[in-house]
Amino acid sequence: MPRPKLVLVYEPEKACLDRLVADGHAPERAAEIASYLAQSTDLAPEFDALAAACQKRGLCFAPLALDDAAGGLADEHADTTLVWTLTDGIAYFRGGAAPALARLNGLKTIGADDSLFALCQDKFRSGAVLGALGLPAPQAGLARDGHWLVEPPASPAGWFVKPNRLGAKIGIWPDSRSSDLSHALELSRRVFSAYRDDVVVQPYVAGRNVRASFLALKPDTGVEALGIAFVDSGGDFQTMADSLALYGDTGEAAKEAGQYAEPALLPVAASQPGAAATIRRIAARLMAGLGLRDVFSIDLRVEPNDNVHLIEFEVCPGLPCFDFRAYCHSQWGMDLADAMAETAASRFFS
């Protein structure tokens, strides 16, 4: 019998960039889109550390580029292989194919099933499901290239406009908070021209940004292991420029230029324990009703009165990002490589 093995499937930025350019995207826009795969770029230098952490626990480690996954997973043994998909995607990105390929070949996986990989990247559809589960997700309209597909609800505070399948919560530009719907339609034309995407138009919700991170180090880990932190970056919301400055090659360039500043992470429970308790209940509902498991993150907005708004969930949180590394240290007392290896080993040896 072969040694137990952790296979990490990842989609490289360069492969995505080349494919988008070949499909007719402008190179600058393609580079922005591909930047969402920067966690693959950022984690690759740690593959040796991951291999060592796995070996210490009796596992083999095998990173597998997505373009090689169809053949690579077909050769694996169902009883001894665990597949961890690093990046999601059904539109610009293709990582959602990996858990489906694992299921096709009878392989065990870390993370949600492949249906959620498809759902989480379509923000309009996922918002509808979250609403059906009774969760506090803002209602949304949907626009394509200046035309309403679904009109948004009225909002005295204005609206927030974001791409439907790209980046999830970011607003792309500083004027993504809109005070009138004609401007929201203009933003939809700009997004469609630049990225070929629809936009979600949601009522603007006030509050501070919160990231809730989860890693089930053991199979029976529950919502008590959720890490809940304010993410204070100095801005109301993240733009494309903000995102580019944090991760991947552009993040490295920002560090070298002295322009890199990680947002501050502050525990929500320290100042708003009621909001933290609400977020744990939301996470429990997502786990029970939606099927989130093993590893995920949730983005929320929290108002001073403890009112909580659920913005999105992610089945592939940015593992090498500053916030998830901080979570692994604070919750589990481990660096990222050891936390990942321990999670994988527990699925074989618990």
Side-chain angles (χ1 to χ4, degrees):
M1 181 74 70
R3 268 178 90 190
K5 179 190 293 187
L6 172 62
V7 177
L8 184 71
V9 181
Y10 65 98
E11 183 173 7
E13 280 186 88
K14 182 63 164 56
C16 178
L17 173 64
D18 290 346
R19 180 172 48 81
L20 291 171
V21 171
D23 193 38
H25 287 268
E28 184 178 353
R29 300 287 84 78
E32 291 175 349
I33 294 168
S35 73
Y36 287 100
L37 299 174
Q39 60 174 306
S40 298
T41 301
D42 292 341
L43 193 57
E46 299 180 58
F47 284 168
D48 287 346
L50 271 163
C54 285
Q55 183 176 14
K56 185 168 65 176
R57 294 166 173 83
L59 305 179
C60 298
F61 173 70
L64 181 63
L66 184 63
D67 285 338
D68 301 322
L73 295 181
D75 294 334
E76 296 294 346
H77 295 269
D79 293 336
T80 57
T81 303
L82 182 67
V83 178
W84 192 327
T85 303
L86 184 61
T87 47
D88 63 14
I90 54 169
Y92 306 99
F93 321 120
R94 298 168 296 155
L101 286 170
R103 183 161 60 89
L104 182 66
N105 289 285
L107 307 175
K108 300 180 181 69
T109 60
I110 287 285
D113 67 51
D114 42 296
S115 67
L116 289 188
F117 276 71
L119 182 64
C120 79
Q121 199 181 2
D122 189 313
K123 301 308 167 187
F124 184 75
R125 294 178 183 176
S126 65
V129 173
L130 296 177
L133 287 171
L135 293 167
Q139 288 184 289
L142 187 69
R144 178 180 301 153
D145 195 18
H147 302 282
W148 293 116
L149 302 178
V150 178
E151 291 194 12
S155 174
W159 296 266
F160 189 69
V161 182
K162 61 186 180 183
N164 186 43
R165 301 174 301 167
L166 175 66
K169 63 186 176 298
I170 76 161
I172 301 292
W173 300 292
D175 62 343
S176 293
R177 181 182 175 185
S178 178
S179 60
D180 65 82
L181 291 177
S182 61
H183 180 241
L185 287 177
E186 172 57 26
L187 286 168
S188 82
R189 283 187 282 269
R190 283 159 54 185
V191 167
F192 191 84
S193 175
Y195 306 106
R196 305 181 194 172
D197 201 6
D198 301 338
V199 296
V200 171
V201 182
Q202 295 176 319
Y204 173 82
V205 293
R208 296 167 70 185
N209 295 315
V210 169
R211 167 67 54 83
S213 301
F214 181 83
L215 180 66
L217 215 68
K218 303 294 182 184
D220 60 352
T221 302
V223 74
E224 73 282 350
L226 194 72
I228 309 169
F230 288 116
V231 184
D232 290 336
S233 61
D236 187 31
F237 59 87
Q238 191 179 68
T239 65
M240 176 67 82
D242 296 331
S243 178
L244 289 172
L246 285 174
Y247 314 116
D249 293 336
T250 51
E252 286 301 316
K255 289 178 184 177
E256 292 173 5
Q259 299 171 342
Y260 175 85
E262 287 183 357
L265 296 172
L266 303 169
V268 173
S271 59
Q272 294 187 242
T278 297
I279 292 169
R280 290 194 192 279
R281 288 193 293 272
I282 288 171
R285 180 67 172 144
L286 287 167
M287 294 172 78
L290 199 61
L292 290 187
R293 61 184 175 89
D294 296 335
V295 58
F296 60 84
S297 66
I298 312 169
D299 286 294
L300 312 102
R301 296 272 276 186
V302 171
E303 298 185 63
N305 64 357
D306 287 350
N307 196 22
V308 174
H309 305 274
L310 172 60
I311 304 302
E312 67 165 7
F313 67 91
E314 290 290 346
V315 295
C316 287
L319 299 182
C321 298
F322 68 95
D323 56 296
F324 201 84
R325 291 182 188 276
Y327 165 72
C328 289
H329 280 287
S330 62
Q331 178 64 38
W332 299 116
M334 296 182 181
D335 64 17
L336 180 62
D338 276 317
M340 292 177 68
E342 185 68 22
T343 299
S346 73
R347 271 52 179 181
F348 289 110
F349 305 127
S350 290

mmCIF file of all heavy atoms in Angstrom, residues 188-233:
data_model
loop_
_atom_site.group_PDB
_atom_site.id
_atom_site.type_symbol
_atom_site.label_atom_id
_atom_site.label_comp_id
_atom_site.label_asym_id
_atom_site.label_seq_id
_atom_site.Cartn_x
_atom_site.Cartn_y
_atom_site.Cartn_z
ATOM 1 N N SER A 188 -21.326 49.403 -14.138
ATOM 2 C CA SER A 188 -21.524 48.095 -14.769
ATOM 3 C C SER A 188 -20.965 48.097 -16.196
ATOM 4 O O SER A 188 -20.424 47.094 -16.659
ATOM 5 C CB SER A 188 -23.007 47.697 -14.764
ATOM 6 O OG SER A 188 -23.726 48.297 -15.823
ATOM 7 N N ARG A 189 -21.087 49.239 -16.895
ATOM 8 C CA ARG A 189 -20.498 49.326 -18.233
ATOM 9 C C ARG A 189 -18.973 49.260 -18.168
ATOM 10 O O ARG A 189 -18.334 48.593 -18.999
ATOM 11 C CB ARG A 189 -20.950 50.625 -18.919
ATOM 12 C CG ARG A 189 -22.376 50.570 -19.459
ATOM 13 C CD ARG A 189 -22.721 51.801 -20.270
ATOM 14 N NE ARG A 189 -23.028 52.941 -19.414
ATOM 15 C CZ ARG A 189 -24.249 53.248 -18.986
ATOM 16 N NH1 ARG A 189 -25.284 52.506 -19.367
ATOM 17 N NH2 ARG A 189 -24.453 54.300 -18.223
ATOM 18 N N ARG A 190 -18.399 49.937 -17.180
ATOM 19 C CA ARG A 190 -16.938 49.918 -17.032
ATOM 20 C C ARG A 190 -16.433 48.527 -16.687
ATOM 21 O O ARG A 190 -15.421 48.057 -17.228
ATOM 22 C CB ARG A 190 -16.526 50.927 -15.969
ATOM 23 C CG ARG A 190 -16.570 52.368 -16.476
ATOM 24 C CD ARG A 190 -16.667 53.391 -15.357
ATOM 25 N NE ARG A 190 -15.623 53.258 -14.350
ATOM 26 C CZ ARG A 190 -15.582 53.990 -13.232
ATOM 27 N NH1 ARG A 190 -16.536 54.885 -12.992
ATOM 28 N NH2 ARG A 190 -14.615 53.825 -12.367
ATOM 29 N N VAL A 191 -17.135 47.844 -15.772
ATOM 30 C CA VAL A 191 -16.728 46.485 -15.397
ATOM 31 C C VAL A 191 -16.864 45.539 -16.589
ATOM 32 O O VAL A 191 -15.979 44.702 -16.836
ATOM 33 C CB VAL A 191 -17.565 45.986 -14.196
ATOM 34 C CG1 VAL A 191 -17.389 44.487 -13.993
ATOM 35 C CG2 VAL A 191 -17.174 46.736 -12.928
ATOM 36 N N PHE A 192 -17.943 45.664 -17.329
ATOM 37 C CA PHE A 192 -18.136 44.778 -18.477
ATOM 38 C C PHE A 192 -17.074 45.020 -19.535
ATOM 39 O O PHE A 192 -16.528 44.073 -20.129
ATOM 40 C CB PHE A 192 -19.532 44.989 -19.075
ATOM 41 C CG PHE A 192 -19.917 43.948 -20.082
ATOM 42 C CD1 PHE A 192 -20.461 42.733 -19.667
ATOM 43 C CD2 PHE A 192 -19.709 44.152 -21.441
ATOM 44 C CE1 PHE A 192 -20.810 41.757 -20.591
ATOM 45 C CE2 PHE A 192 -20.048 43.178 -22.370
ATOM 46 C CZ PHE A 192 -20.605 41.980 -21.941
ATOM 47 N N SER A 193 -16.736 46.282 -19.781
ATOM 48 C CA SER A 193 -15.712 46.606 -20.774
ATOM 49 C C SER A 193 -14.344 46.084 -20.358
ATOM 50 O O SER A 193 -13.591 45.558 -21.184
ATOM 51 C CB SER A 193 -15.653 48.118 -20.975
ATOM 52 O OG SER A 193 -14.603 48.475 -21.850
ATOM 53 N N ALA A 194 -14.032 46.216 -19.074
ATOM 54 C CA ALA A 194 -12.701 45.833 -18.602
ATOM 55 C C ALA A 194 -12.567 44.343 -18.320
ATOM 56 O O ALA A 194 -11.522 43.748 -18.594
ATOM 57 C CB ALA A 194 -12.354 46.619 -17.328
ATOM 58 N N TYR A 195 -13.640 43.720 -17.793
ATOM 59 C CA TYR A 195 -13.519 42.360 -17.277
ATOM 60 C C TYR A 195 -14.559 41.375 -17.822
ATOM 61 O O TYR A 195 -14.547 40.205 -17.455
ATOM 62 C CB TYR A 195 -13.621 42.374 -15.738
ATOM 63 C CG TYR A 195 -12.652 43.317 -15.087
ATOM 64 C CD1 TYR A 195 -13.097 44.518 -14.538
ATOM 65 C CD2 TYR A 195 -11.295 43.031 -15.037
ATOM 66 C CE1 TYR A 195 -12.209 45.405 -13.945
ATOM 67 C CE2 TYR A 195 -10.407 43.913 -14.445
ATOM 68 C CZ TYR A 195 -10.868 45.094 -13.904
ATOM 69 O OH TYR A 195 -9.992 45.968 -13.316
ATOM 70 N N ARG A 196 -15.498 41.868 -18.645
ATOM 71 C CA ARG A 196 -16.550 41.016 -19.205
ATOM 72 C C ARG A 196 -17.420 40.384 -18.117
ATOM 73 O O ARG A 196 -17.830 39.233 -18.216
ATOM 74 C CB ARG A 196 -15.970 39.908 -20.092
ATOM 75 C CG ARG A 196 -15.072 40.373 -21.221
ATOM 76 C CD ARG A 196 -14.606 39.175 -22.021
ATOM 77 N NE ARG A 196 -13.502 39.508 -22.910
ATOM 78 C CZ ARG A 196 -12.816 38.601 -23.607
ATOM 79 N NH1 ARG A 196 -13.132 37.315 -23.500
ATOM 80 N NH2 ARG A 196 -11.828 38.972 -24.386
ATOM 81 N N ASP A 197 -17.680 41.121 -17.069
ATOM 82 C CA ASP A 197 -18.447 40.566 -15.956
ATOM 83 C C ASP A 197 -19.684 41.408 -15.691
ATOM 84 O O ASP A 197 -19.737 42.601 -16.009
ATOM 85 C CB ASP A 197 -17.587 40.517 -14.687
ATOM 86 C CG ASP A 197 -18.098 39.527 -13.660
ATOM 87 O OD1 ASP A 197 -19.059 38.779 -13.960
ATOM 88 O OD2 ASP A 197 -17.539 39.483 -12.546
ATOM 89 N N ASP A 198 -20.702 40.770 -15.110
ATOM 90 C CA ASP A 198 -21.850 41.486 -14.567
ATOM 91 C C ASP A 198 -21.435 42.146 -13.254
ATOM 92 O O ASP A 198 -20.362 41.859 -12.702
ATOM 93 C CB ASP A 198 -23.004 40.523 -14.296
ATOM 94 C CG ASP A 198 -23.462 39.786 -15.537
ATOM 95 O OD1 ASP A 198 -23.206 40.283 -16.658
ATOM 96 O OD2 ASP A 198 -24.068 38.701 -15.389
ATOM 97 N N VAL A 199 -22.308 43.005 -12.735
ATOM 98 C CA VAL A 199 -22.063 43.561 -11.403
ATOM 99 C C VAL A 199 -23.239 43.263 -10.491
ATOM 100 O O VAL A 199 -24.397 43.227 -10.922
ATOM 101 C CB VAL A 199 -21.821 45.091 -11.420
ATOM 102 C CG1 VAL A 199 -20.558 45.439 -12.186
ATOM 103 C CG2 VAL A 199 -23.016 45.850 -11.957
ATOM 104 N N VAL A 200 -22.917 43.023 -9.236
ATOM 105 C CA VAL A 200 -23.895 42.937 -8.164
ATOM 106 C C VAL A 200 -24.030 44.336 -7.563
ATOM 107 O O VAL A 200 -23.026 44.997 -7.290
ATOM 108 C CB VAL A 200 -23.436 41.926 -7.089
ATOM 109 C CG1 VAL A 200 -24.328 41.996 -5.868
ATOM 110 C CG2 VAL A 200 -23.429 40.520 -7.648
ATOM 111 N N VAL A 201 -25.263 44.789 -7.383
ATOM 112 C CA VAL A 201 -25.525 46.108 -6.814
ATOM 113 C C VAL A 201 -26.319 45.905 -5.537
ATOM 114 O O VAL A 201 -27.498 45.552 -5.562
ATOM 115 C CB VAL A 201 -26.300 47.001 -7.817
ATOM 116 C CG1 VAL A 201 -26.520 48.385 -7.219
ATOM 117 C CG2 VAL A 201 -25.533 47.098 -9.139
ATOM 118 N N GLN A 202 -25.642 46.113 -4.403
ATOM 119 C CA GLN A 202 -26.238 45.857 -3.095
ATOM 120 C C GLN A 202 -26.432 47.156 -2.336
ATOM 121 O O GLN A 202 -25.637 48.100 -2.500
ATOM 122 C CB GLN A 202 -25.333 44.948 -2.263
ATOM 123 C CG GLN A 202 -25.167 43.543 -2.815
ATOM 124 C CD GLN A 202 -24.178 42.730 -2.000
ATOM 125 O OE1 GLN A 202 -23.147 43.247 -1.599
ATOM 126 N NE2 GLN A 202 -24.492 41.474 -1.768
ATOM 127 N N PRO A 203 -27.441 47.249 -1.484
ATOM 128 C CA PRO A 203 -27.516 48.392 -0.588
ATOM 129 C C PRO A 203 -26.218 48.518 0.214
ATOM 130 O O PRO A 203 -25.692 47.524 0.728
ATOM 131 C CB PRO A 203 -28.700 48.061 0.324
ATOM 132 C CG PRO A 203 -29.554 47.159 -0.510
ATOM 133 C CD PRO A 203 -28.590 46.334 -1.312
ATOM 134 N N TYR A 204 -25.705 49.731 0.311
ATOM 135 C CA TYR A 204 -24.495 49.954 1.086
ATOM 136 C C TYR A 204 -24.788 49.696 2.559
ATOM 137 O O TYR A 204 -25.805 50.156 3.095
ATOM 138 C CB TYR A 204 -24.002 51.386 0.904
ATOM 139 C CG TYR A 204 -22.843 51.737 1.806
ATOM 140 C CD1 TYR A 204 -21.549 51.371 1.459
ATOM 141 C CD2 TYR A 204 -23.059 52.409 3.000
ATOM 142 C CE1 TYR A 204 -20.481 51.682 2.293
ATOM 143 C CE2 TYR A 204 -21.996 52.721 3.837
ATOM 144 C CZ TYR A 204 -20.718 52.357 3.483
ATOM 145 O OH TYR A 204 -19.664 52.646 4.315
ATOM 146 N N VAL A 205 -23.914 48.930 3.199
ATOM 147 C CA VAL A 205 -24.058 48.685 4.635
ATOM 148 C C VAL A 205 -22.853 49.253 5.359
ATOM 149 O O VAL A 205 -21.702 49.073 4.931
ATOM 150 C CB VAL A 205 -24.238 47.176 4.950
ATOM 151 C CG1 VAL A 205 -25.562 46.680 4.407
ATOM 152 C CG2 VAL A 205 -23.096 46.340 4.399
ATOM 153 N N ALA A 206 -23.118 49.959 6.436
ATOM 154 C CA ALA A 206 -22.059 50.581 7.213
ATOM 155 C C ALA A 206 -21.373 49.552 8.094
ATOM 156 O O ALA A 206 -21.831 48.417 8.237
ATOM 157 C CB ALA A 206 -22.635 51.714 8.055
ATOM 158 N N GLY A 207 -20.267 49.971 8.694
ATOM 159 C CA GLY A 207 -19.589 49.103 9.648
ATOM 160 C C GLY A 207 -18.147 48.850 9.292
ATOM 161 O O GLY A 207 -17.627 49.349 8.292
ATOM 162 N N ARG A 208 -17.511 48.036 10.125
ATOM 163 C CA ARG A 208 -16.116 47.656 9.918
ATOM 164 C C ARG A 208 -16.050 46.296 9.240
ATOM 165 O O ARG A 208 -16.924 45.449 9.430
ATOM 166 C CB ARG A 208 -15.379 47.613 11.268
ATOM 167 C CG ARG A 208 -15.300 48.960 11.954
ATOM 168 C CD ARG A 208 -14.867 48.821 13.406
ATOM 169 N NE ARG A 208 -13.471 48.417 13.531
ATOM 170 C CZ ARG A 208 -12.885 48.143 14.704
ATOM 171 N NH1 ARG A 208 -13.600 48.199 15.835
ATOM 172 N NH2 ARG A 208 -11.617 47.786 14.752
ATOM 173 N N ASN A 209 -14.988 46.106 8.481
ATOM 174 C CA ASN A 209 -14.801 44.840 7.779
ATOM 175 C C ASN A 209 -14.294 43.775 8.740
ATOM 176 O O ASN A 209 -13.400 44.027 9.556
ATOM 177 C CB ASN A 209 -13.801 45.016 6.637
ATOM 178 C CG ASN A 209 -14.317 45.955 5.568
ATOM 179 O OD1 ASN A 209 -15.471 45.860 5.167
ATOM 180 N ND2 ASN A 209 -13.479 46.864 5.106
ATOM 181 N N VAL A 210 -14.858 42.585 8.624
ATOM 182 C CA VAL A 210 -14.488 41.459 9.481
ATOM 183 C C VAL A 210 -14.188 40.246 8.620
ATOM 184 O O VAL A 210 -14.898 39.964 7.651
ATOM 185 C CB VAL A 210 -15.618 41.121 10.478
ATOM 186 C CG1 VAL A 210 -15.351 39.794 11.187
ATOM 187 C CG2 VAL A 210 -15.774 42.245 11.499
ATOM 188 N N ARG A 211 -13.134 39.538 8.967
ATOM 189 C CA ARG A 211 -12.812 38.257 8.342
ATOM 190 C C ARG A 211 -12.898 37.172 9.410
ATOM 191 O O ARG A 211 -12.279 37.277 10.482
ATOM 192 C CB ARG A 211 -11.397 38.301 7.748
ATOM 193 C CG ARG A 211 -10.802 36.960 7.335
ATOM 194 C CD ARG A 211 -11.499 36.318 6.165
ATOM 195 N NE ARG A 211 -11.599 37.162 4.992
ATOM 196 C CZ ARG A 211 -10.624 37.321 4.084
ATOM 197 N NH1 ARG A 211 -9.484 36.713 4.242
ATOM 198 N NH2 ARG A 211 -10.809 38.082 3.025
ATOM 199 N N ALA A 212 -13.679 36.147 9.132
ATOM 200 C CA ALA A 212 -13.760 34.970 10.005
ATOM 201 C C ALA A 212 -13.087 33.809 9.284
ATOM 202 O O ALA A 212 -13.466 33.473 8.162
ATOM 203 C CB ALA A 212 -15.204 34.639 10.328
ATOM 204 N N SER A 213 -12.084 33.216 9.899
ATOM 205 C CA SER A 213 -11.304 32.143 9.284
ATOM 206 C C SER A 213 -11.526 30.841 10.035
ATOM 207 O O SER A 213 -11.712 30.832 11.261
ATOM 208 C CB SER A 213 -9.806 32.485 9.317
ATOM 209 O OG SER A 213 -9.542 33.697 8.633
ATOM 210 N N PHE A 214 -11.468 29.734 9.288
ATOM 211 C CA PHE A 214 -11.706 28.423 9.903
ATOM 212 C C PHE A 214 -10.813 27.373 9.270
ATOM 213 O O PHE A 214 -10.689 27.284 8.039
ATOM 214 C CB PHE A 214 -13.167 28.007 9.716
ATOM 215 C CG PHE A 214 -13.509 26.676 10.348
ATOM 216 C CD1 PHE A 214 -13.808 26.599 11.691
ATOM 217 C CD2 PHE A 214 -13.516 25.507 9.602
ATOM 218 C CE1 PHE A 214 -14.120 25.381 12.289
ATOM 219 C CE2 PHE A 214 -13.823 24.288 10.179
ATOM 220 C CZ PHE A 214 -14.127 24.218 11.539
ATOM 221 N N LEU A 215 -10.170 26.588 10.115
ATOM 222 C CA LEU A 215 -9.425 25.402 9.694
ATOM 223 C C LEU A 215 -9.698 24.307 10.710
ATOM 224 O O LEU A 215 -9.471 24.483 11.909
ATOM 225 C CB LEU A 215 -7.918 25.685 9.622
ATOM 226 C CG LEU A 215 -7.047 24.501 9.198
ATOM 227 C CD1 LEU A 215 -7.333 24.084 7.760
ATOM 228 C CD2 LEU A 215 -5.562 24.833 9.373
ATOM 229 N N ALA A 216 -10.213 23.181 10.235
ATOM 230 C CA ALA A 216 -10.504 22.048 11.116
ATOM 231 C C ALA A 216 -9.260 21.183 11.223
ATOM 232 O O ALA A 216 -9.026 20.302 10.395
ATOM 233 C CB ALA A 216 -11.676 21.243 10.576
ATOM 234 N N LEU A 217 -8.448 21.449 12.229
ATOM 235 C CA LEU A 217 -7.221 20.680 12.399
ATOM 236 C C LEU A 217 -7.531 19.201 12.619
ATOM 237 O O LEU A 217 -6.776 18.332 12.191
ATOM 238 C CB LEU A 217 -6.436 21.241 13.581
ATOM 239 C CG LEU A 217 -4.911 21.207 13.452
ATOM 240 C CD1 LEU A 217 -4.460 22.159 12.365
ATOM 241 C CD2 LEU A 217 -4.244 21.576 14.776
ATOM 242 N N LYS A 218 -8.652 18.921 13.260
ATOM 243 C CA LYS A 218 -9.158 17.562 13.435
ATOM 244 C C LYS A 218 -10.531 17.457 12.774
ATOM 245 O O LYS A 218 -11.248 18.463 12.664
ATOM 246 C CB LYS A 218 -9.280 17.211 14.925
ATOM 247 C CG LYS A 218 -7.988 17.359 15.711
ATOM 248 C CD LYS A 218 -6.933 16.350 15.274
ATOM 249 C CE LYS A 218 -5.666 16.497 16.125
ATOM 250 N NZ LYS A 218 -4.590 15.583 15.641
ATOM 251 N N PRO A 219 -10.933 16.275 12.331
ATOM 252 C CA PRO A 219 -12.209 16.154 11.606
ATOM 253 C C PRO A 219 -13.424 16.627 12.388
ATOM 254 O O PRO A 219 -14.399 17.079 11.796
ATOM 255 C CB PRO A 219 -12.292 14.652 11.298
ATOM 256 C CG PRO A 219 -10.877 14.168 11.306
ATOM 257 C CD PRO A 219 -10.182 15.000 12.349
ATOM 258 N N ASP A 220 -13.395 16.520 13.718
ATOM 259 C CA ASP A 220 -14.562 16.892 14.516
ATOM 260 C C ASP A 220 -14.493 18.325 15.035
ATOM 261 O O ASP A 220 -15.273 18.717 15.902
ATOM 262 C CB ASP A 220 -14.736 15.928 15.684
ATOM 263 C CG ASP A 220 -13.523 15.905 16.618
ATOM 264 O OD1 ASP A 220 -12.483 16.520 16.280
ATOM 265 O OD2 ASP A 220 -13.606 15.253 17.675
ATOM 266 N N THR A 221 -13.579 19.136 14.517
ATOM 267 C CA THR A 221 -13.462 20.522 14.950
ATOM 268 C C THR A 221 -14.748 21.279 14.631
ATOM 269 O O THR A 221 -15.291 21.174 13.529
ATOM 270 C CB THR A 221 -12.279 21.216 14.259
ATOM 271 O OG1 THR A 221 -11.072 20.495 14.557
ATOM 272 C CG2 THR A 221 -12.123 22.651 14.739
ATOM 273 N N GLY A 222 -15.239 22.054 15.595
ATOM 274 C CA GLY A 222 -16.481 22.787 15.403
ATOM 275 C C GLY A 222 -16.263 24.282 15.321
ATOM 276 O O GLY A 222 -15.124 24.782 15.254
ATOM 277 N N VAL A 223 -17.355 25.001 15.372
ATOM 278 C CA VAL A 223 -17.332 26.440 15.144
ATOM 279 C C VAL A 223 -16.576 27.183 16.241
ATOM 280 O O VAL A 223 -16.220 28.357 16.077
ATOM 281 C CB VAL A 223 -18.773 26.958 15.001
ATOM 282 C CG1 VAL A 223 -19.477 26.983 16.353
ATOM 283 C CG2 VAL A 223 -18.813 28.328 14.339
ATOM 284 N N GLU A 224 -16.285 26.502 17.327
ATOM 285 C CA GLU A 224 -15.500 27.137 18.382
ATOM 286 C C GLU A 224 -14.097 27.529 17.903
ATOM 287 O O GLU A 224 -13.437 28.387 18.489
ATOM 288 C CB GLU A 224 -15.397 26.217 19.601
ATOM 289 C CG GLU A 224 -14.483 25.006 19.439
ATOM 290 C CD GLU A 224 -15.110 23.861 18.641
ATOM 291 O OE1 GLU A 224 -16.330 23.935 18.370
ATOM 292 O OE2 GLU A 224 -14.395 22.908 18.300
ATOM 293 N N ALA A 225 -13.631 26.887 16.814
ATOM 294 C CA ALA A 225 -12.298 27.179 16.288
ATOM 295 C C ALA A 225 -12.280 28.332 15.293
ATOM 296 O O ALA A 225 -11.246 28.644 14.717
ATOM 297 C CB ALA A 225 -11.711 25.929 15.622
ATOM 298 N N LEU A 226 -13.419 28.971 15.084
ATOM 299 C CA LEU A 226 -13.488 30.100 14.165
ATOM 300 C C LEU A 226 -12.686 31.273 14.727
ATOM 301 O O LEU A 226 -12.827 31.629 15.899
ATOM 302 C CB LEU A 226 -14.946 30.506 13.975
ATOM 303 C CG LEU A 226 -15.280 31.442 12.822
ATOM 304 C CD1 LEU A 226 -15.167 30.713 11.484
ATOM 305 C CD2 LEU A 226 -16.701 32.002 13.000
ATOM 306 N N GLY A 227 -11.845 31.862 13.906
ATOM 307 C CA GLY A 227 -11.123 33.074 14.280
ATOM 308 C C GLY A 227 -11.808 34.284 13.672
ATOM 309 O O GLY A 227 -12.018 34.325 12.463
ATOM 310 N N ILE A 228 -12.153 35.273 14.483
ATOM 311 C CA ILE A 228 -12.969 36.403 14.032
ATOM 312 C C ILE A 228 -12.213 37.694 14.316
ATOM 313 O O ILE A 228 -11.976 38.043 15.477
ATOM 314 C CB ILE A 228 -14.338 36.425 14.743
ATOM 315 C CG1 ILE A 228 -15.025 35.054 14.654
ATOM 316 C CG2 ILE A 228 -15.230 37.510 14.158
ATOM 317 C CD1 ILE A 228 -16.240 34.916 15.556
ATOM 318 N N ALA A 229 -11.873 38.431 13.252
ATOM 319 C CA ALA A 229 -11.049 39.623 13.437
ATOM 320 C C ALA A 229 -11.527 40.779 12.562
ATOM 321 O O ALA A 229 -11.910 40.590 11.408
ATOM 322 C CB ALA A 229 -9.589 39.314 13.103
ATOM 323 N N PHE A 230 -11.504 41.976 13.144
ATOM 324 C CA PHE A 230 -11.637 43.175 12.334
ATOM 325 C C PHE A 230 -10.409 43.289 11.433
ATOM 326 O O PHE A 230 -9.275 43.030 11.869
ATOM 327 C CB PHE A 230 -11.719 44.427 13.213
ATOM 328 C CG PHE A 230 -13.008 44.588 13.974
ATOM 329 C CD1 PHE A 230 -13.013 44.550 15.364
ATOM 330 C CD2 PHE A 230 -14.201 44.793 13.313
ATOM 331 C CE1 PHE A 230 -14.196 44.724 16.076
ATOM 332 C CE2 PHE A 230 -15.397 44.954 14.010
ATOM 333 C CZ PHE A 230 -15.388 44.916 15.393
ATOM 334 N N VAL A 231 -10.633 43.687 10.200
ATOM 335 C CA VAL A 231 -9.532 43.918 9.258
ATOM 336 C C VAL A 231 -9.532 45.403 8.938
ATOM 337 O O VAL A 231 -10.327 45.877 8.114
ATOM 338 C CB VAL A 231 -9.700 43.079 7.976
ATOM 339 C CG1 VAL A 231 -8.497 43.256 7.062
ATOM 340 C CG2 VAL A 231 -9.895 41.604 8.312
ATOM 341 N N ASP A 232 -8.676 46.145 9.617
ATOM 342 C CA ASP A 232 -8.657 47.601 9.477
ATOM 343 C C ASP A 232 -7.513 48.024 8.568
ATOM 344 O O ASP A 232 -6.335 47.959 8.936
ATOM 345 C CB ASP A 232 -8.512 48.260 10.849
ATOM 346 C CG ASP A 232 -9.763 48.108 11.700
ATOM 347 O OD1 ASP A 232 -10.849 47.921 11.111
ATOM 348 O OD2 ASP A 232 -9.660 48.170 12.939
ATOM 349 N N SER A 233 -7.872 48.456 7.364
ATOM 350 C CA SER A 233 -6.868 48.856 6.376
ATOM 351 C C SER A 233 -6.807 50.361 6.183
ATOM 352 O O SER A 233 -5.999 50.857 5.396
ATOM 353 C CB SER A 233 -7.185 48.197 5.030
ATOM 354 O OG SER A 233 -8.458 48.601 4.557
#
